[in-house]
Structure formats: structure tokens, C-alpha cells
Amino acid sequence: GGRGQRNQDYPMASMQPGFRYSHSASRPNTNPYGNPHKEKLIKNLASMSSRERVKAIQKTPKTMKEKRVLMEKTKKSVSSSTQINCCTQCLYKTALSYQRFKNGMSEYLHLLQLWQKTLKVIGGKFGTSVLSYFVFLKWLLTFNIFSFLVNFSFITIPQLIASGPNNLSFNGLELLTGAGYFKKTVLYYGFYTNFTITKTENNSSYDMQLAYIFTIGIYFIICFFILVYSMAKSFRKNFINPQTYSGSAAKLLCIWDFNITNEKAVKLKQSNLSTQIKESLSEVTLEVLNLSPKQRIARIAVHLLVWMASLGIAAACCAGVYFFSRNNLQLENEAATLVLPIVVSLLNLLIPFCFALFGLIEKFQYPRHQLYLLLLCRNVFLKIAIIGILCYYWLNDVATSEKECWESLVGQDIYRLIVIDFIFCLLASFFGEFVRRIIGTKCCKKLGVPEFDIARNVLDLIYTQTLAWIGIFFAPLMPAMQIISFFIIFYVKKVSLMRNCQPPRKVWRASQMMTLFIFLLFFPSFTGVLSVMAVIIWRRTPSKQCGPFQGLTSIIDAVSGWIHILDSYSSSKWVVWIYYNLIGSVHFFFILTVIVLIITYLYWQIIEGRRIMVRLLHEQIINEGKDKMFLLNKLRALQTSKLDPPKEQQEVSSKAWVFLCCSHSLDK
């Protein structure tokens, strides 16, 4: 079988058009590039395009050294046979220089990313589940930096230009309470004026009412699109095509970066890859529990009892928070106002530990199920319920009270909640991780070193970010507090993680957790904030003696008055039409919601279709492999058999190899 032997040596080359080997090419040759067959091969390669040439050389069954020599000879042949004019050569060099400049800039920008090396160390030692918390914290930090720049540029700076000196004294307690000296600063809503700021040099004016409401409104619109885009991008990456980003074979064979030469960087990369491969393999080795009907009923009963206990605890916490908040409104002592935030922070700190004990009773098989259930259902419900009770208290008790400036009072409450929660977060890192490690290593060694509590820490971030979004209207500089606290929290959590915590006992991959975190930040956190903002703008009467909207029956009247003024100008009719037919129309938002739901449904159907296609292709690949093994066994049986004549054996071998080559091309 000369032709069968040739196809066996070069199965892929035989499938390339214009790419032929003779029978002598399969024989050993001391000078492989000096025969006429190789010259013909170089000529055929030179006639191809650059992409086809690279693919053809990659598929040749030769060593890397021989392929490089073949590529160099082909390039020389192309350069000698093709005459490039000056203009084409100049354009080619320009494009090449631009590509090199782009690659260099991307490398420098990658090095300038915040905490890049720290995140690699954390991911290499503790895995992607713990790393996802720090990535989420970094993402929220950039979010708040953007928010601070927007509010400071369009709201705070104009007010600083027109404001006078602050005559109140500072005693230090304001750092905890947010009252006293801070009342007469740009931190709170009540300090901002409702006048139009005018510059006498060129008679330019700046309407603080419109600047305040439009800045906050446009900021929330931008946040909405950023959250939707980030959620869709993360969902597409981790749910639609996760094999592209987390293939075990690709990690094992193709992911090493040969540009790494530093010894520490090499060890860090090895540790990171080792942890990623362990996480991928852990999902393959999962075992499914086969429970009897009695065991299933017992497990369902335990879940129901735990859920009833969790809901009862959350309801009791909400009742306690509302009781303390009603008493907080009557307090005159500045230090006594810290009672409510301390109670709320204690509940947020202690109740999740109670829920974690419930998780031990339920005995989850997979750590991902335990994390998702505790994170998505119980802790989220607790924290959102507490925030909902506080919002009800602010909008129905504080807003309808006879206080001089209820907006600033709400801002002070949110300030105290964020500051006290930040202090409790630091105390939790000390007592919950440092002291716990000392006890587990010195006193009670059975406890061991603690693990990093992802669910509790992530919910703390979402809780404080929700409060900051609500507080942006009442305290425009609230994002500055978030920036400072997130910086400190990152380094405290990093040090505590490295010194006090151990890697997870059950190694598991958490590539989809970032999608879950962004989804929880969008719903119910961000959507709830939008609902609160809608009630404030459309349903609540602003204070009569402070703030940019004093004297109006509702905040939206500032926009309505501006639209009424624009209606008298013919050049601004399009703005009036957009306001009345789009922004002020309920039908428009109803149609927009229906369109979003339809697009979401179609997107989901596309995802399901791709999943089915991936599953069918996997099954097809498995079947093709079985067919090849069957044919190879038949070939071996025919070759060892002495009963069949050589001609018939050669014919069967040729047909089998044709089938193998065709199936290989289909796989490609």
C-alpha cells in the first residue's frame, strides 16, 4: 500500500489544496530542503496568502526547527518574486509600527491597573472564589470614583464658589455622627442654594436646581447602562461560552506565558495555574448523592424549618430597627444618635453567623450551593429588608416631620450608618479572623485556621453601596466616603486574608460569581434605589427653608418650570416634545419595558440554543472518536490476518483512511 502509507504519514497535508507530497517525501533525508519536491512545496506555499501559508506550515508533520526553516525560505521566495512599490511598503511599515505601539501601550496600561499584582497573588494562593470578592471591591471603587468626579464637578464646585465661611466649631465627634460642623458644609443637601449663581464678568449663570437634579439623574442613567453592560458581558463570558475561558486542556497545555523570566513571577504563575486546574478538576469529580425517599423528605423538612426560622429572625430584626429609628427622631443629644447605626451594624454582623450555623445543619454537598443559598436568599433578604424599613422611616416619618431640613437629617443618618458599618467591618476582620486564628492555633486546635467568608463580605459591600446610592441625593459627596473606606477595606482584608485565613478546603471554581455579584447589585439594590428616588422626586415635598428645591411642592416642579420656559422658544421645541412624550409619558416606559423583556427572552433562547448545539457537538466528537477506534481495530485485524489477499487488504485500507481523513476535516 504505497498510497496508503503516504496518507498515513501526511494525513493533513493530503487535505490541503495545492499541497502535495510525493512518496519519497516520507523517506528519511539528510538534506530535506535541497530536493526538487521541497522546491515545489516552497513554490506552492509562496503562491498562497499569508494566512493560508501559516496554516499550511502549521499542519505539516515536521519539527518546529524544520517549520521555521521552511517559513524563512518561503518568505525569501515571496520577497524575491514580488515587487512591492514604495507606497505599499510605507503603509505596511506604518501599520506594523501602529500595531507595535498599540501592543506596547496595552502592556503599560495593564501594568498601571490598580492592585494587579496583589490580585494575582490572591488568585494564585486562594483561588477564584476568594479573588472574586477583591475584584468586585475594585470594581465598586472605580464606580465611586466616577460618581465623586461627576458630583464634585457639577454640584460641589459651583456651590463652593458662591458659599460663605462656616462659623461652627469642630470638636471631633462629627467624624462619627456627621452632625455639628458638617451641617454647614457642602457634604449635605441643606447647604446648597436655590439661587442661580451668576458670574459678574461675563454675566454667565448657573442654575443650581437644574444642575442638582440633572447631575444626579444623568448619573443614575449612566449607572444603569454600566450595570446592564457589565452584567451582560459577564453573563456572556461565564454562562454562554464558559468552555472558551476555562477549558482544562487549554490551561494544561497552552496557557503558559514564555515571556515570564522573573523567578517570583514564574512561581506565582505556577501557583495560579495549579489552583485553576484544581478548581476545574473539582467540578469533574463531583459525586451525585443517591438519597432514599425518607432521606429526601427529611432533608426537605430541615430546609423548610430553617427557612421559617430565617424569615422569623429577619422580621424580628426589621421590627427592632423600626422601633429604634422612631426613637432616634426624638433624640437631641448628638452622641445618642449613634444608637441606631450601632444596632443595625450589630444585626448585620451577628445574624449572618446565625445563618451560617443553619447551613451546617442543612449539610450542603456543594460549597457553591451553600454560598448561593446563603448569599442570594437569606443574607440579601435580611439586608434589603433592613434598608427597606429605614427608607420607610425616612420617607414617611422624617419627611413628614416638622424638622427644619429633613433632607440633611436623612443624609446624617446615612452618614452614620456607613461610618459605623465601616468600623464594624474592621472589627469583624480583627475578631472574626485574627482572634479566631489565635484560638484555632493556640487554644482549640480542632477549630483550625478560618476560611474567608465570601458571602458575608460581599453582602457588606452591596449593603454600603446601596446606602451610598440613596445618600447621593441627600449628601452629594457620599462617594468620597466610599472611596476612602474601600481603599482601607481592601488592604485590611488583604492583610487579614494572607495572615489569618487558609485556602478553601474544598477547591472549586467560581467564575460565575462575579456575574451573581453584579446581578445582586443591580437587583434588588439599584432597582430599589431607583424606586426610592422616584418617590422622593415625585411624591415628597422638599423642605421650605433649605436646599436647592425649597419653596416647591415637589422636586419635579423644577424641571416642569424649566420646560415651560423652553416652550416659549421655537428652537427648543424638540426638548419640550421629548419631555412630554417620552420622559413624562407612562406609555413610553411601558413600551420600553416590554421591548427589554422581549430582548431578554430572545437572548435567553439564543443561549439555550447554543448550549444544545455545544452538547450535540460534544456528542458528535465522542462518536467520531469511537468510529475512528473501530476502524483502527479493523485495520489492525486485516493487517494481521493472512487469509485475505494483499490487493483486497490494500483496497480496504485505502477506503478506511479516506473515511478517517474526511472525518478529521469535519472535526476541524
Side-chain angles (χ1 to χ4, degrees), residues 429-616:
S429 297
F430 179 77
F431 289 103
E433 295 170 357
F434 175 71
V435 177
R436 167 72 168 75
R437 179 181 65 86
I438 298 298
I439 295 174
T441 55
K442 303 295 183 182
C443 301
C444 183
K445 295 186 178 180
K446 291 183 178 180
L447 293 176
V449 181
E451 294 184 9
F452 190 78
D453 193 346
I454 304 171
R456 179 177 58 83
N457 286 283
V458 168
L459 260 296
D460 288 341
L461 294 180
I462 295 177
Y463 169 77
T464 55
Q465 185 60 40
T466 306
L467 289 176
W469 273 333
I470 298 173
I472 280 179
F473 181 83
F474 305 105
L477 294 184
M478 195 68 72
M481 296 175 54
Q482 288 290 89
I483 294 171
I484 297 172
S485 64
F486 282 163
F487 260 105
I488 298 174
I489 286 173
F490 183 90
Y491 287 105
V492 169
K493 292 293 181 181
K494 186 202 77 170
V495 173
S496 178
L497 176 71
M498 294 296 181
R499 295 181 178 271
N500 303 322
C501 298
Q502 64 175 343
R505 295 184 182 92
K506 294 182 179 180
V507 181
W508 56 289
R509 184 169 56 89
S511 60
Q512 298 172 351
M513 288 180 62
M514 191 63 185
T515 308
L516 176 65
F517 296 161
I518 299 175
F519 176 77
L520 290 177
L521 191 66
F522 179 77
F523 181 85
S525 175
F526 185 75
T527 53
V529 171
L530 291 181
S531 302
V532 173
M533 289 293 108
V535 173
I536 293 171
I537 293 174
W538 272 276
R539 299 296 182 183
R540 291 295 172 264
T541 302
S543 299
K544 297 180 180 180
Q545 299 178 0
C546 69
F549 304 104
Q550 53 182 296
L552 300 177
T553 57
S554 64
I555 296 174
I556 196 63
D557 289 343
V559 181
S560 301
W562 178 63
I563 292 297
H564 182 71
I565 295 174
L566 291 180
D567 197 12
S568 59
Y569 297 96
S570 59
S571 60
S572 304
K573 293 290 184 181
W574 61 276
V575 179
V576 179
W577 185 90
I578 289 175
Y579 177 78
Y580 285 114
N581 294 278
L582 298 182
I583 299 176
S585 175
V586 178
H587 301 287
F588 170 74
F589 288 100
F590 175 76
I591 295 172
L592 184 64
T593 304
V594 172
I595 293 174
V596 170
L597 291 176
I598 292 174
I599 293 174
T600 304
Y601 174 76
L602 293 176
Y603 199 68
W604 181 261
Q605 290 299 316
I606 292 172
I607 294 169
E608 292 297 323
R610 289 182 177 178
R611 286 180 178 175
I612 295 173
M613 182 62 67
V614 168
R615 179 174 55 83
L616 293 176

Side-chain angles (χ1 to χ4, degrees), residues 74 153 184 332 341 358 446 449 531:
T74 306
S153 301
K184 299 298 181 180
E332 299 294 338
F358 289 163
K446 291 183 178 180
V449 181
S531 302

Side-chain angles (χ1 to χ4, degrees), residues 252-416:
L252 185 62
L253 301 175
C254 308
I255 204 172
W256 184 258
D257 188 0
F258 289 94
N259 293 325
I260 300 176
T261 56
N262 185 269
E263 185 178 356
K264 292 183 179 179
V266 169
K267 292 182 179 179
L268 178 61
K269 187 71 173 178
Q270 289 175 347
S271 175
N272 205 331
L273 291 179
S274 175
T275 306
Q276 291 181 23
I277 293 172
K278 289 179 182 178
E279 292 172 351
S280 300
L281 293 177
S282 65
E283 295 187 349
V284 180
T285 57
L286 289 178
E287 298 179 358
V288 180
L289 291 178
N290 295 321
L291 301 177
S292 63
K294 291 184 179 180
Q295 290 175 334
R296 291 180 182 178
I297 293 173
R299 175 163 291 197
I300 293 173
V302 170
H303 286 314
L304 289 177
L305 290 175
V306 169
W307 269 107
M308 292 176 62
S310 301
L311 294 177
I313 291 173
C317 292
C318 292
V321 169
Y322 187 69
F323 172 77
F324 279 100
S325 62
R326 290 293 299 270
N327 293 333
N328 187 69
L329 189 60
Q330 308 299 328
L331 295 175
E332 299 294 338
N333 188 3
E334 184 177 339
T337 57
L338 295 174
V339 175
L340 176 63
I342 290 175
V343 170
V344 172
S345 298
L346 279 174
L347 292 176
N348 286 326
L349 179 65
L350 298 178
I351 300 302
F353 285 108
C354 182
F355 289 163
L357 293 177
F358 289 163
L360 296 177
I361 298 173
E362 292 175 291
K363 296 180 180 179
F364 292 99
Q365 181 186 7
Y366 307 137
R368 180 181 298 180
H369 293 175
Q370 182 177 4
L371 176 67
Y372 285 178
L373 187 60
L374 293 175
L375 179 67
L376 183 59
C377 299
R378 296 173 189 168
N379 290 341
V380 169
F381 179 78
L382 173 67
K383 291 182 180 292
I384 295 301
I386 291 176
I387 293 177
I389 289 295
L390 289 173
C391 291
Y392 178 82
Y393 157 70
W394 290 328
L395 298 180
N396 290 276
D397 295 343
V398 180
T400 58
S401 64
E402 297 180 356
K403 296 292 183 179
E404 180 180 354
C405 189
W406 67 267
E407 292 91 349
S408 294
L409 293 178
V410 175
Q412 293 172 25
D413 283 343
I414 297 175
Y415 178 95
R416 287 189 286 266

Side-chain angles (χ1 to χ4, degrees), residues 37-53:
H37 300 288
K38 294 301 177 184
E39 293 178 358
K40 185 178 180 181
L41 172 62
I42 293 173
K43 186 177 180 181
N44 291 334
L45 289 172
S47 62
M48 299 179 183
S49 63
S50 299
R51 183 175 297 179
E52 292 177 352
R53 188 186 308 129

Side-chain angles (χ1 to χ4, degrees), residues 11-12 14-15 617 620-632 654-668:
M12 292 305 301
S14 61
M15 303 304 296
L617 289 175
Q620 184 179 355
I621 291 172
I622 293 172
N623 293 330
E624 291 290 342
K626 292 179 179 179
D627 292 340
K628 291 179 181 180
M629 292 300 299
F630 173 77
L631 289 172
L632 287 174
S654 300
K655 291 180 179 179
W657 275 115
V658 168
F659 178 80
L660 283 174
C661 293
C662 292
S663 63
H664 189 82
S665 63
L666 287 174
D667 292 342
K668 292 294 182 181

Side-chain angles (χ1 to χ4, degrees), residues 120-164:
K120 287 183 178 180
V121 173
I122 294 172
K125 187 175 182 180
F126 295 92
T128 56
S129 57
V130 178
L131 176 65
S132 60
Y133 164 79
F134 290 91
V135 173
F136 185 63
L137 195 154
K138 175 185 173 182
W139 189 78
L140 285 180
L141 177 64
T142 57
F143 220 92
N144 283 277
I145 291 174
F146 167 73
S147 174
F148 170 75
L149 293 177
V150 170
N151 290 349
F152 188 77
S153 301
F154 296 100
I155 298 178
T156 306
I157 291 179
Q159 181 62 38
L160 288 173
I161 296 174
S163 62

